[in-house]
Every structure is written in C-alpha cells, then in structure tokens.
Amino acid sequence: MFSHIIFDLDGTLLNTIDDLADAGNHVCAAHGWPTHTVDQFKYMVGNGIPSLVSRFTPDGLEEEELAQALAEFSAYYGEHKEDKTAPYPGVPELLDSLKGAGMRLAVLSNKAHALAGPVVEHYFPGVFEYVQGALPGAPLKPDPTLLHALMESIGARPETTLFVGDSGVDVLTGKNGALTVCGVLWGFRDRAELEGAGADYVVEKPEELTAIAAGAALLSPGQAALAAELLRQGRLVALPTETVYGLAADATQERAVRANYDAKGRPETKPLNVLVDGMQMVETVCRDIPEDAYKLAGAFWPGPLTMILWGNGTLPSIVPAGGATQGVRCPDHPAALAVIRALGRPLACPSANLSGRPSPKSAADVLAQLGGRIDGVLDGGVCSVGVESTILDLTVTPYRILRRGGLGRERLEAVLGPGRLETD
C-alpha cells in the first residue's frame, strides 16, 4: 500500500486541453498563422507554457516574436482558463477514496507555481497537501529536482510513493525519482507512449487507480481489464474459477512464473498447468493434439477438466518444470475467462494457497493466506464446485486419470467411449 501519491495536473486531474487549444489558436489566428486541432495540442503540452507556445507558433520566429506570442497567450488564457476546463469524470471520487484510505496527496506540475496552486485549490479545495509548480531557474519535469523537493516537504519515501501522470514526461519524472509510476489513458497521450517510457501500470479508468494504490487490490468482476494489465506488467493476481481460486501469472513471462512459485512456496520441480480460453489458445502451447482432446473440450470446456498434452516449447521451461508435457484447462467462470481474453495469453495458474494449505474458495480465503505476497484478487464470490479439476493425461495410452476432481470417470467415458481410460 502506498502512503503518498503525487499527481500531474493537466491531462491527469484536469482536462485543460480545450482552453489551452483555444488560447493557442487565438494567438495563431491573430497573427495569421495556421491553427491546430485539439488532438494536435495534446502532443504539444507537457513541458510548460513557453514550450507549448514555441510548438504552436511557426518555425523560425525571432525571440521577440516568441515573447510577444507568449504574452498574448498568457493574457488570453488567464481570462479564459476556466471556460471549458473541468476535472476528468471519476477523478473527484477517486481523490475522496484515496484520502479516505489515509493516503497523502500532492501535485507536481510544469504549470507555473503561482498559477498551479490556485488552480488546484479552485477545483479540488482542501484535497491536496502540497502543490508544486514550475519555479524560475528550476529545471522542469522530467528532471526530478522539484519532485525531490516536494517529497521532502511532505515526508514521502520513494518505496511508498506512487507517481501518476498521463505522458511520457510524467513517467520519466517518476522513474527519475525512483518511484512506482502509473500512467492514465484518459488524458493527452496513449498507451504506447506510457509503456514505452516505462510505466509500471497503465489504467483506463480512475477507479482502477484506487486498486493499485491499495497494494494487494481487491478487484470487482468488472475490472478484468485491470487484472489483465497487472498480469501484463508481470504481477500476480488471484482469480476465481468454478473449482477454487487460482494464482495467475502471465505464462509467457518467466520472471512472473517464478514469482508465482515463490508466493506459494511451491517447489519449482512441480509443473504448473495453464488456463486458456479454448482450443485455439491450446494450439499455441501444445503439439500433436489428439482428436479426443477436441471432443473433451467440446463436451466439458469451460469446466473442471485439465488435459495433459505434449508441450511445444513456446512457454518458459519453468512452467512445465522442465518437462515435455503441459496441462491446460478452460475455466468455467466469466471473470477468469474475461481476464484471459483481455490478456490474450495463457495463465500459469495453480491454486491460490500457500503450498500444503487448503485451496481457497473465496477472495477472503486467498487474502488470509497470500495477503502481502500478491498484487490483486479478482473477487468473483464463492467458488461453485469447491474442489480442484479432474486431471486427465492424454499423452499415454490408455488415457490416465491423474487426479479425481470435479468431473467423474463416467462422464469422461461417455465422451471417449469404452476402453479409452486406464483401468482403476
């Protein structure tokens, strides 16, 4: 859990782009210069007003002309800066939630300090403990000088401080200050820029930020996209299935899979099965798939059946513990399937318990065992089956039941036909 959260202002808390664009185009029109779209202005902002003016004005202007344009922009914007500016939807509620959880909030902006403080207080009265804007002679973001000064003022430590912004400049600022950084997609820039700059998280909605700030977040079933984002970042998220809760990691990331073993205290000699959303995904990680696998999937997937097939070597060797086979299952739970589809890759997903402890049937069970070891739990209620899946090895003849679970032998034989299963 983070104790301090530092926000960028324009594009993160406030949607100021329309007023900035109007002021810039007012100056351009007055001089007969080309005007620009709002989307074009989104890529001009982020480094302070003087840089913005130099970007919307034509190349080759003399210093005196730039100074005049800056003065005209500042005068017009000063009179019209509240015409269209407003907090982004959901941001006031986000801030209330964070403060209610005891987190201390601050703002770091490249907007002039004399302007930044009043703007923040106007739109968010009494919310922020400290607002730091640009100062004469001090370097702007992404230089961390003012960030360090702000953190010292509020007693923030890098390891418990989250930096939140909407641009690559913001991400680099937080990284230069050795902070965890969350990029937001409701502002001025896109996912490619934020991830390219090294954001630890990228969120689409303000409420998703609440979960990240809380540490091991308790996510709702509707937050599958956030769960997938955490997994994409190499994090661990517990997910509900119809059997028990599983501890998910992106199966294509060796570091994440190793973290999964560590969180559970599971020996790395024990292979991990993976969750998929269907046979098409199975085909990306397995080879020589028998026709019976497709029959079983058609009959019991989504459902409590894990099939052991020959792996094709595309997953890190730590997933099957160096073995040649790979267990695959399609879970019968809408939240788990939504996460798999949002991620687009298989999940290494053993049960979400400490090794040797009972498998969890609720989010509370998960947190009781793994709280502090994982990054989130998608709360899908109590699991309906409550026992592990049946594991069927299809790499041997006759096929062998390795674990009896939520699917009985009789139902398997009804699909496969007589004599296909090893005698008990």
Side-chain angles (χ1 to χ4, degrees):
M1 180 173 178
F2 294 98
S3 59
H4 295 74
I5 305 179
I6 301 172
F7 290 86
D8 168 59
L9 181 55
D10 292 18
T12 301
L13 298 172
L14 289 178
N15 187 358
T16 58
I17 197 65
D18 291 304
D19 286 336
L20 290 167
D22 287 350
N25 283 333
H26 170 80
V27 175
C28 290
H31 289 269
W33 300 331
T35 57
H36 309 279
T37 66
V38 171
D39 282 341
Q40 288 173 321
F41 268 96
K42 288 181 179 180
Y43 286 87
M44 298 178 188
V45 298
N47 298 96
I49 295 300
S51 292
L52 170 61
V53 172
S54 70
R55 290 167 181 166
F56 72 67
T57 54
D59 294 335
L61 292 184
E62 300 292 338
E63 288 188 13
E64 293 81 4
E65 294 175 294
L66 279 174
Q68 178 62 29
L70 175 59
E72 293 172 5
F73 175 91
S74 299
Y76 187 91
Y77 184 65
E79 294 180 6
H80 297 275
K81 64 181 182 294
E82 297 175 11
D83 289 358
K84 301 174 182 177
T85 290
Y88 285 100
V91 164
E93 293 81 2
L94 163 69
L95 300 176
D96 286 344
S97 174
L98 297 176
K99 282 185 69 72
M103 298 175 194
R104 300 169 65 182
L105 312 181
V107 172
L108 177 65
S109 173
N110 274 344
K111 193 184 293 290
H113 187 71
L115 182 60
V119 166
V120 171
E121 188 60 24
H122 174 75
Y123 289 100
F124 308 105
V127 171
F128 290 95
E129 183 173 339
Y130 198 92
V131 177
Q132 179 64 65
L135 296 173
L140 298 174
K141 296 185 298 184
D143 185 283
T145 300
L146 291 179
L147 172 63
H148 290 154
L150 186 159
M151 292 176 65
E152 184 176 354
S153 297
I154 60 176
R157 294 179 296 143
E159 61 271 22
T160 56
T161 300
L162 179 68
F163 194 90
V164 182
D166 71 299
S167 71
V169 168
D170 295 321
V171 175
L172 291 174
T173 302
K175 289 299 179 182
N176 289 340
L179 307 185
T180 301
V181 181
C182 180
V184 303
L185 292 176
W186 57 79
F188 301 159
R189 305 295 172 81
D190 59 18
R191 178 183 292 275
E193 177 173 327
L194 297 170
E195 291 184 343
D200 298 288
Y201 303 98
V202 178
V203 297
E204 296 181 353
K205 300 176 182 179
E207 56 265 30
E208 295 174 354
L209 184 57
T210 307
I212 291 171
L218 188 63
L219 310 179
S220 69
Q223 292 181 296
L226 176 55
E229 179 61 37
L230 291 170
L231 292 164
R232 190 176 291 112
Q233 297 289 341
R235 314 283 177 166
L236 302 179
V237 180
L239 304 175
T241 73
E242 78 282 17
T243 56
V244 296
Y245 275 72
L247 181 58
D250 181 347
T252 68
Q253 298 187 43
E254 180 174 352
R255 182 178 297 178
V257 175
R258 197 172 300 279
N260 192 308
Y261 277 103
D262 290 343
K264 284 177 55 67
R266 178 188 179 99
E268 292 185 8
T269 54
K270 296 181 65 175
L272 295 176
N273 299 324
V274 298
L275 297 185
V276 297
D277 65 353
M279 288 302 294
Q280 187 172 356
M281 190 174 286
V282 171
E283 291 168 355
T284 67
V285 297
C286 295
R287 62 174 175 84
D288 302 330
I289 303 171
E291 185 61 32
D292 283 335
Y294 292 91
K295 291 180 182 178
L296 290 165
F300 302 120
W301 276 8
L305 172 65
T306 297
M307 294 188 287
I308 305 298
L309 302 169
W310 294 111
N312 65 8
T314 58
L315 294 178
S317 62
I318 190 175
V319 178
T325 62
Q326 180 60 61
V328 293
R329 183 166 89 88
C330 179
D332 189 14
H333 197 291
L337 287 171
V339 173
I340 298 168
R341 288 164 182 162
L343 182 65
R345 297 192 285 269
L347 300 177
C349 198
S351 56
N353 60 314
L354 291 171
S355 192
R357 297 277 298 278
S359 297
K361 302 178 182 65
S362 69
D365 291 343
V366 174
L367 291 173
Q369 293 192 48
L370 297 179
R373 295 172 176 242
I374 63 177
D375 299 284
V377 181
L378 192 66
D379 188 355
V382 178
C383 297
S384 59
V385 176
V387 294
E388 287 88 348
S389 65
T390 296
I391 300 179
L392 180 63
D393 188 350
L394 299 180
T395 67
V396 296
T397 304
Y399 304 143
R400 181 180 303 148
I401 296 175
L402 301 183
R403 183 179 72 190
R404 296 184 181 277
L407 193 62
R409 179 187 179 95
E410 296 77 12
R411 297 182 64 191
L412 295 173
E413 289 180 327
V415 172
L416 294 172
R420 306 305 302 275
L421 293 179
E422 185 178 65
T423 304
D424 288 342

PDB file of all heavy atoms in Angstrom, residues 236 247 257-270 272 350-357 369-370 373-374:
ATOM      1  N   LEU A 236       1.092 -10.650  -9.987  1.00  0.00           N
ATOM      2  CA  LEU A 236       0.329 -11.842  -9.644  1.00  0.00           C
ATOM      3  C   LEU A 236      -1.070 -11.448  -9.210  1.00  0.00           C
ATOM      4  O   LEU A 236      -1.246 -10.551  -8.378  1.00  0.00           O
ATOM      5  CB  LEU A 236       1.005 -12.608  -8.507  1.00  0.00           C
ATOM      6  CG  LEU A 236       2.446 -13.074  -8.733  1.00  0.00           C
ATOM      7  CD1 LEU A 236       2.952 -13.802  -7.495  1.00  0.00           C
ATOM      8  CD2 LEU A 236       2.552 -13.951  -9.963  1.00  0.00           C
ATOM      9  N   LEU A 247      -3.945 -18.759  -8.564  1.00  0.00           N
ATOM     10  CA  LEU A 247      -2.993 -17.655  -8.533  1.00  0.00           C
ATOM     11  C   LEU A 247      -2.386 -17.519  -9.930  1.00  0.00           C
ATOM     12  O   LEU A 247      -1.594 -18.355 -10.357  1.00  0.00           O
ATOM     13  CB  LEU A 247      -1.901 -17.899  -7.498  1.00  0.00           C
ATOM     14  CG  LEU A 247      -0.863 -16.768  -7.384  1.00  0.00           C
ATOM     15  CD1 LEU A 247      -1.532 -15.451  -7.030  1.00  0.00           C
ATOM     16  CD2 LEU A 247       0.200 -17.116  -6.360  1.00  0.00           C
ATOM     17  N   VAL A 257       6.278 -16.137 -13.634  1.00  0.00           N
ATOM     18  CA  VAL A 257       6.015 -17.518 -13.225  1.00  0.00           C
ATOM     19  C   VAL A 257       6.865 -17.887 -12.014  1.00  0.00           C
ATOM     20  O   VAL A 257       6.391 -18.525 -11.066  1.00  0.00           O
ATOM     21  CB  VAL A 257       6.279 -18.480 -14.397  1.00  0.00           C
ATOM     22  CG1 VAL A 257       6.112 -19.932 -13.935  1.00  0.00           C
ATOM     23  CG2 VAL A 257       5.341 -18.181 -15.561  1.00  0.00           C
ATOM     24  N   ARG A 258       8.114 -17.449 -12.011  1.00  0.00           N
ATOM     25  CA  ARG A 258       8.981 -17.729 -10.865  1.00  0.00           C
ATOM     26  C   ARG A 258       8.430 -17.052  -9.600  1.00  0.00           C
ATOM     27  O   ARG A 258       8.471 -17.628  -8.496  1.00  0.00           O
ATOM     28  CB  ARG A 258      10.402 -17.247 -11.155  1.00  0.00           C
ATOM     29  CG  ARG A 258      11.453 -17.828 -10.224  1.00  0.00           C
ATOM     30  CD  ARG A 258      12.855 -17.462 -10.678  1.00  0.00           C
ATOM     31  NE  ARG A 258      13.145 -17.952 -12.019  1.00  0.00           N
ATOM     32  CZ  ARG A 258      13.520 -19.185 -12.298  1.00  0.00           C
ATOM     33  NH1 ARG A 258      13.636 -20.077 -11.318  1.00  0.00           N
ATOM     34  NH2 ARG A 258      13.775 -19.543 -13.548  1.00  0.00           N
ATOM     35  N   ALA A 259       7.890 -15.833  -9.762  1.00  0.00           N
ATOM     36  CA  ALA A 259       7.282 -15.140  -8.623  1.00  0.00           C
ATOM     37  C   ALA A 259       6.070 -15.903  -8.105  1.00  0.00           C
ATOM     38  O   ALA A 259       5.785 -15.894  -6.901  1.00  0.00           O
ATOM     39  CB  ALA A 259       6.886 -13.721  -9.021  1.00  0.00           C
ATOM     40  N   ASN A 260       5.354 -16.561  -9.006  1.00  0.00           N
ATOM     41  CA  ASN A 260       4.210 -17.369  -8.607  1.00  0.00           C
ATOM     42  C   ASN A 260       4.653 -18.516  -7.702  1.00  0.00           C
ATOM     43  O   ASN A 260       4.069 -18.754  -6.631  1.00  0.00           O
ATOM     44  CB  ASN A 260       3.522 -17.908  -9.876  1.00  0.00           C
ATOM     45  CG  ASN A 260       2.157 -18.512  -9.609  1.00  0.00           C
ATOM     46  OD1 ASN A 260       2.005 -19.365  -8.751  1.00  0.00           O
ATOM     47  ND2 ASN A 260       1.170 -18.070 -10.372  1.00  0.00           N
ATOM     48  N   TYR A 261       5.683 -19.226  -8.118  1.00  0.00           N
ATOM     49  CA  TYR A 261       6.242 -20.284  -7.275  1.00  0.00           C
ATOM     50  C   TYR A 261       6.647 -19.735  -5.903  1.00  0.00           C
ATOM     51  O   TYR A 261       6.365 -20.331  -4.860  1.00  0.00           O
ATOM     52  CB  TYR A 261       7.473 -20.893  -7.943  1.00  0.00           C
ATOM     53  CG  TYR A 261       7.207 -21.961  -8.978  1.00  0.00           C
ATOM     54  CD1 TYR A 261       7.290 -21.684 -10.331  1.00  0.00           C
ATOM     55  CD2 TYR A 261       6.915 -23.266  -8.583  1.00  0.00           C
ATOM     56  CE1 TYR A 261       7.087 -22.682 -11.294  1.00  0.00           C
ATOM     57  CE2 TYR A 261       6.704 -24.274  -9.526  1.00  0.00           C
ATOM     58  CZ  TYR A 261       6.784 -23.968 -10.877  1.00  0.00           C
ATOM     59  OH  TYR A 261       6.582 -24.951 -11.810  1.00  0.00           O
ATOM     60  N   ASP A 262       7.317 -18.585  -5.912  1.00  0.00           N
ATOM     61  CA  ASP A 262       7.813 -18.012  -4.659  1.00  0.00           C
ATOM     62  C   ASP A 262       6.672 -17.628  -3.728  1.00  0.00           C
ATOM     63  O   ASP A 262       6.736 -17.851  -2.517  1.00  0.00           O
ATOM     64  CB  ASP A 262       8.688 -16.795  -4.952  1.00  0.00           C
ATOM     65  CG  ASP A 262      10.013 -17.148  -5.608  1.00  0.00           C
ATOM     66  OD1 ASP A 262      10.401 -18.329  -5.541  1.00  0.00           O
ATOM     67  OD2 ASP A 262      10.643 -16.244  -6.193  1.00  0.00           O
ATOM     68  N   ALA A 263       5.618 -17.014  -4.298  1.00  0.00           N
ATOM     69  CA  ALA A 263       4.497 -16.559  -3.472  1.00  0.00           C
ATOM     70  C   ALA A 263       3.813 -17.728  -2.768  1.00  0.00           C
ATOM     71  O   ALA A 263       3.393 -17.620  -1.612  1.00  0.00           O
ATOM     72  CB  ALA A 263       3.493 -15.789  -4.327  1.00  0.00           C
ATOM     73  N   LYS A 264       3.702 -18.855  -3.448  1.00  0.00           N
ATOM     74  CA  LYS A 264       3.050 -20.025  -2.877  1.00  0.00           C
ATOM     75  C   LYS A 264       3.976 -20.856  -2.000  1.00  0.00           C
ATOM     76  O   LYS A 264       3.504 -21.688  -1.217  1.00  0.00           O
ATOM     77  CB  LYS A 264       2.523 -20.928  -4.005  1.00  0.00           C
ATOM     78  CG  LYS A 264       1.276 -20.433  -4.684  1.00  0.00           C
ATOM     79  CD  LYS A 264       0.879 -21.340  -5.832  1.00  0.00           C
ATOM     80  CE  LYS A 264       0.719 -22.786  -5.444  1.00  0.00           C
ATOM     81  NZ  LYS A 264      -0.424 -23.059  -4.539  1.00  0.00           N
ATOM     82  N   GLY A 265       5.297 -20.667  -2.164  1.00  0.00           N
ATOM     83  CA  GLY A 265       6.232 -21.573  -1.522  1.00  0.00           C
ATOM     84  C   GLY A 265       6.203 -22.939  -2.178  1.00  0.00           C
ATOM     85  O   GLY A 265       6.419 -23.964  -1.526  1.00  0.00           O
ATOM     86  N   ARG A 266       5.956 -22.952  -3.476  1.00  0.00           N
ATOM     87  CA  ARG A 266       5.819 -24.197  -4.235  1.00  0.00           C
ATOM     88  C   ARG A 266       7.165 -24.586  -4.828  1.00  0.00           C
ATOM     89  O   ARG A 266       7.849 -23.749  -5.434  1.00  0.00           O
ATOM     90  CB  ARG A 266       4.792 -23.984  -5.348  1.00  0.00           C
ATOM     91  CG  ARG A 266       4.544 -25.180  -6.274  1.00  0.00           C
ATOM     92  CD  ARG A 266       3.649 -24.736  -7.416  1.00  0.00           C
ATOM     93  NE  ARG A 266       3.376 -25.799  -8.372  1.00  0.00           N
ATOM     94  CZ  ARG A 266       2.270 -26.532  -8.396  1.00  0.00           C
ATOM     95  NH1 ARG A 266       1.320 -26.322  -7.494  1.00  0.00           N
ATOM     96  NH2 ARG A 266       2.089 -27.458  -9.319  1.00  0.00           N
ATOM     97  N   PRO A 267       7.577 -25.843  -4.712  1.00  0.00           N
ATOM     98  CA  PRO A 267       8.843 -26.261  -5.335  1.00  0.00           C
ATOM     99  C   PRO A 267       8.781 -26.101  -6.848  1.00  0.00           C
ATOM    100  O   PRO A 267       7.760 -26.420  -7.480  1.00  0.00           O
ATOM    101  CB  PRO A 267       8.954 -27.746  -4.945  1.00  0.00           C
ATOM    102  CG  PRO A 267       8.046 -27.909  -3.773  1.00  0.00           C
ATOM    103  CD  PRO A 267       6.935 -26.936  -3.969  1.00  0.00           C
ATOM    104  N   GLU A 268       9.854 -25.601  -7.442  1.00  0.00           N
ATOM    105  CA  GLU A 268       9.876 -25.400  -8.883  1.00  0.00           C
ATOM    106  C   GLU A 268       9.987 -26.707  -9.654  1.00  0.00           C
ATOM    107  O   GLU A 268       9.976 -26.703 -10.892  1.00  0.00           O
ATOM    108  CB  GLU A 268      11.024 -24.466  -9.261  1.00  0.00           C
ATOM    109  CG  GLU A 268      10.812 -23.042  -8.765  1.00  0.00           C
ATOM    110  CD  GLU A 268      11.886 -22.086  -9.238  1.00  0.00           C
ATOM    111  OE1 GLU A 268      12.715 -22.490 -10.086  1.00  0.00           O
ATOM    112  OE2 GLU A 268      11.890 -20.937  -8.769  1.00  0.00           O
ATOM    113  N   THR A 269      10.060 -27.825  -8.948  1.00  0.00           N
ATOM    114  CA  THR A 269      10.049 -29.134  -9.598  1.00  0.00           C
ATOM    115  C   THR A 269       8.624 -29.608  -9.896  1.00  0.00           C
ATOM    116  O   THR A 269       8.448 -30.614 -10.583  1.00  0.00           O
ATOM    117  CB  THR A 269      10.741 -30.170  -8.704  1.00  0.00           C
ATOM    118  OG1 THR A 269      10.126 -30.157  -7.408  1.00  0.00           O
ATOM    119  CG2 THR A 269      12.231 -29.840  -8.566  1.00  0.00           C
ATOM    120  N   LYS A 270       7.620 -28.884  -9.384  1.00  0.00           N
ATOM    121  CA  LYS A 270       6.226 -29.255  -9.627  1.00  0.00           C
ATOM    122  C   LYS A 270       5.681 -28.408 -10.768  1.00  0.00           C
ATOM    123  O   LYS A 270       5.614 -27.180 -10.649  1.00  0.00           O
ATOM    124  CB  LYS A 270       5.388 -29.049  -8.363  1.00  0.00           C
ATOM    125  CG  LYS A 270       5.800 -29.930  -7.199  1.00  0.00           C
ATOM    126  CD  LYS A 270       4.913 -29.695  -5.985  1.00  0.00           C
ATOM    127  CE  LYS A 270       3.479 -30.112  -6.239  1.00  0.00           C
ATOM    128  NZ  LYS A 270       2.646 -29.992  -5.030  1.00  0.00           N
ATOM    129  N   LEU A 272       3.382 -26.425 -13.566  1.00  0.00           N
ATOM    130  CA  LEU A 272       2.178 -25.604 -13.469  1.00  0.00           C
ATOM    131  C   LEU A 272       1.298 -25.844 -14.687  1.00  0.00           C
ATOM    132  O   LEU A 272       1.769 -25.845 -15.826  1.00  0.00           O
ATOM    133  CB  LEU A 272       2.541 -24.119 -13.403  1.00  0.00           C
ATOM    134  CG  LEU A 272       3.323 -23.651 -12.184  1.00  0.00           C
ATOM    135  CD1 LEU A 272       3.692 -22.190 -12.328  1.00  0.00           C
ATOM    136  CD2 LEU A 272       2.512 -23.882 -10.909  1.00  0.00           C
ATOM    137  N   PRO A 350      -1.755 -22.122 -10.660  1.00  0.00           N
ATOM    138  CA  PRO A 350      -2.038 -23.117  -9.623  1.00  0.00           C
ATOM    139  C   PRO A 350      -3.057 -22.550  -8.639  1.00  0.00           C
ATOM    140  O   PRO A 350      -3.431 -21.368  -8.716  1.00  0.00           O
ATOM    141  CB  PRO A 350      -0.681 -23.306  -8.959  1.00  0.00           C
ATOM    142  CG  PRO A 350      -0.029 -21.964  -9.093  1.00  0.00           C
ATOM    143  CD  PRO A 350      -0.480 -21.429 -10.435  1.00  0.00           C
ATOM    144  N   SER A 351      -3.514 -23.349  -7.714  1.00  0.00           N
ATOM    145  CA  SER A 351      -4.450 -22.847  -6.707  1.00  0.00           C
ATOM    146  C   SER A 351      -3.785 -21.748  -5.875  1.00  0.00           C
ATOM    147  O   SER A 351      -2.578 -21.773  -5.631  1.00  0.00           O
ATOM    148  CB  SER A 351      -4.933 -23.990  -5.812  1.00  0.00           C
ATOM    149  OG  SER A 351      -3.836 -24.657  -5.220  1.00  0.00           O
ATOM    150  N   ALA A 352      -4.593 -20.785  -5.437  1.00  0.00           N
ATOM    151  CA  ALA A 352      -4.071 -19.582  -4.780  1.00  0.00           C
ATOM    152  C   ALA A 352      -3.935 -19.791  -3.274  1.00  0.00           C
ATOM    153  O   ALA A 352      -4.522 -19.051  -2.469  1.00  0.00           O
ATOM    154  CB  ALA A 352      -4.971 -18.392  -5.082  1.00  0.00           C
ATOM    155  N   ASN A 353      -3.145 -20.783  -2.910  1.00  0.00           N
ATOM    156  CA  ASN A 353      -2.914 -21.080  -1.496  1.00  0.00           C
ATOM    157  C   ASN A 353      -1.423 -21.222  -1.249  1.00  0.00           C
ATOM    158  O   ASN A 353      -0.632 -21.413  -2.176  1.00  0.00           O
ATOM    159  CB  ASN A 353      -3.629 -22.377  -1.109  1.00  0.00           C
ATOM    160  CG  ASN A 353      -3.126 -23.555  -1.934  1.00  0.00           C
ATOM    161  OD1 ASN A 353      -2.980 -23.472  -3.147  1.00  0.00           O
ATOM    162  ND2 ASN A 353      -2.856 -24.660  -1.266  1.00  0.00           N
ATOM    163  N   LEU A 354      -1.029 -21.119   0.003  1.00  0.00           N
ATOM    164  CA  LEU A 354       0.323 -21.499   0.362  1.00  0.00           C
ATOM    165  C   LEU A 354       0.463 -22.997   0.186  1.00  0.00           C
ATOM    166  O   LEU A 354      -0.468 -23.759   0.498  1.00  0.00           O
ATOM    167  CB  LEU A 354       0.621 -21.093   1.809  1.00  0.00           C
ATOM    168  CG  LEU A 354       0.730 -19.595   2.080  1.00  0.00           C
ATOM    169  CD1 LEU A 354       0.815 -19.343   3.574  1.00  0.00           C
ATOM    170  CD2 LEU A 354       1.929 -18.999   1.368  1.00  0.00           C
ATOM    171  N   SER A 355       1.593 -23.426  -0.305  1.00  0.00           N
ATOM    172  CA  SER A 355       1.796 -24.849  -0.581  1.00  0.00           C
ATOM    173  C   SER A 355       1.532 -25.673   0.676  1.00  0.00           C
ATOM    174  O   SER A 355       2.044 -25.377   1.759  1.00  0.00           O
ATOM    175  CB  SER A 355       3.229 -25.079  -1.071  1.00  0.00           C
ATOM    176  OG  SER A 355       3.376 -26.365  -1.598  1.00  0.00           O
ATOM    177  N   GLY A 356       0.653 -26.667   0.515  1.00  0.00           N
ATOM    178  CA  GLY A 356       0.312 -27.527   1.641  1.00  0.00           C
ATOM    179  C   GLY A 356      -0.901 -27.085   2.420  1.00  0.00           C
ATOM    180  O   GLY A 356      -1.377 -27.828   3.284  1.00  0.00           O
ATOM    181  N   ARG A 357      -1.423 -25.883   2.128  1.00  0.00           N
ATOM    182  CA  ARG A 357      -2.605 -25.375   2.832  1.00  0.00           C
ATOM    183  C   ARG A 357      -3.852 -25.633   1.994  1.00  0.00           C
ATOM    184  O   ARG A 357      -3.775 -25.893   0.788  1.00  0.00           O
ATOM    185  CB  ARG A 357      -2.442 -23.872   3.084  1.00  0.00           C
ATOM    186  CG  ARG A 357      -1.269 -23.502   3.994  1.00  0.00           C
ATOM    187  CD  ARG A 357      -1.631 -23.620   5.461  1.00  0.00           C
ATOM    188  NE  ARG A 357      -2.703 -22.714   5.810  1.00  0.00           N
ATOM    189  CZ  ARG A 357      -2.531 -21.413   6.100  1.00  0.00           C
ATOM    190  NH1 ARG A 357      -1.314 -20.881   6.073  1.00  0.00           N
ATOM    191  NH2 ARG A 357      -3.567 -20.661   6.424  1.00  0.00           N
ATOM    192  N   GLN A 369      -4.244 -16.185   3.214  1.00  0.00           N
ATOM    193  CA  GLN A 369      -3.011 -16.946   3.015  1.00  0.00           C
ATOM    194  C   GLN A 369      -1.932 -16.159   2.271  1.00  0.00           C
ATOM    195  O   GLN A 369      -0.748 -16.269   2.591  1.00  0.00           O
ATOM    196  CB  GLN A 369      -3.311 -18.226   2.222  1.00  0.00           C
ATOM    197  CG  GLN A 369      -4.169 -19.232   2.965  1.00  0.00           C
ATOM    198  CD  GLN A 369      -4.197 -20.576   2.266  1.00  0.00           C
ATOM    199  OE1 GLN A 369      -3.156 -21.111   1.882  1.00  0.00           O
ATOM    200  NE2 GLN A 369      -5.390 -21.122   2.079  1.00  0.00           N
ATOM    201  N   LEU A 370      -2.342 -15.366   1.281  1.00  0.00           N
ATOM    202  CA  LEU A 370      -1.361 -14.747   0.388  1.00  0.00           C
ATOM    203  C   LEU A 370      -1.328 -13.226   0.467  1.00  0.00           C
ATOM    204  O   LEU A 370      -0.628 -12.587  -0.311  1.00  0.00           O
ATOM    205  CB  LEU A 370      -1.643 -15.167  -1.070  1.00  0.00           C
ATOM    206  CG  LEU A 370      -1.512 -16.652  -1.373  1.00  0.00           C
ATOM    207  CD1 LEU A 370      -1.838 -16.923  -2.833  1.00  0.00           C
ATOM    208  CD2 LEU A 370      -0.123 -17.166  -1.041  1.00  0.00           C
ATOM    209  N   ARG A 373       1.710 -10.963  -0.470  1.00  0.00           N
ATOM    210  CA  ARG A 373       2.583 -11.688  -1.402  1.00  0.00           C
ATOM    211  C   ARG A 373       2.174 -11.489  -2.860  1.00  0.00           C
ATOM    212  O   ARG A 373       2.929 -11.849  -3.762  1.00  0.00           O
ATOM    213  CB  ARG A 373       2.561 -13.196  -1.094  1.00  0.00           C
ATOM    214  CG  ARG A 373       3.150 -13.574   0.250  1.00  0.00           C
ATOM    215  CD  ARG A 373       2.891 -15.054   0.540  1.00  0.00           C
ATOM    216  NE  ARG A 373       3.531 -15.448   1.799  1.00  0.00           N
ATOM    217  CZ  ARG A 373       4.492 -16.360   1.902  1.00  0.00           C
ATOM    218  NH1 ARG A 373       4.935 -16.972   0.818  1.00  0.00           N
ATOM    219  NH2 ARG A 373       5.006 -16.651   3.067  1.00  0.00           N
ATOM    220  N   ILE A 374       0.944 -10.988  -3.077  1.00  0.00           N
ATOM    221  CA  ILE A 374       0.425 -10.875  -4.432  1.00  0.00           C
ATOM    222  C   ILE A 374      -0.067  -9.447  -4.659  1.00  0.00           C
ATOM    223  O   ILE A 374      -0.120  -8.631  -3.736  1.00  0.00           O
ATOM    224  CB  ILE A 374      -0.698 -11.889  -4.687  1.00  0.00           C
ATOM    225  CG1 ILE A 374      -1.897 -11.623  -3.772  1.00  0.00           C
ATOM    226  CG2 ILE A 374      -0.179 -13.304  -4.505  1.00  0.00           C
ATOM    227  CD1 ILE A 374      -3.076 -12.551  -4.018  1.00  0.00           C
TER     228      ILE A 374
END
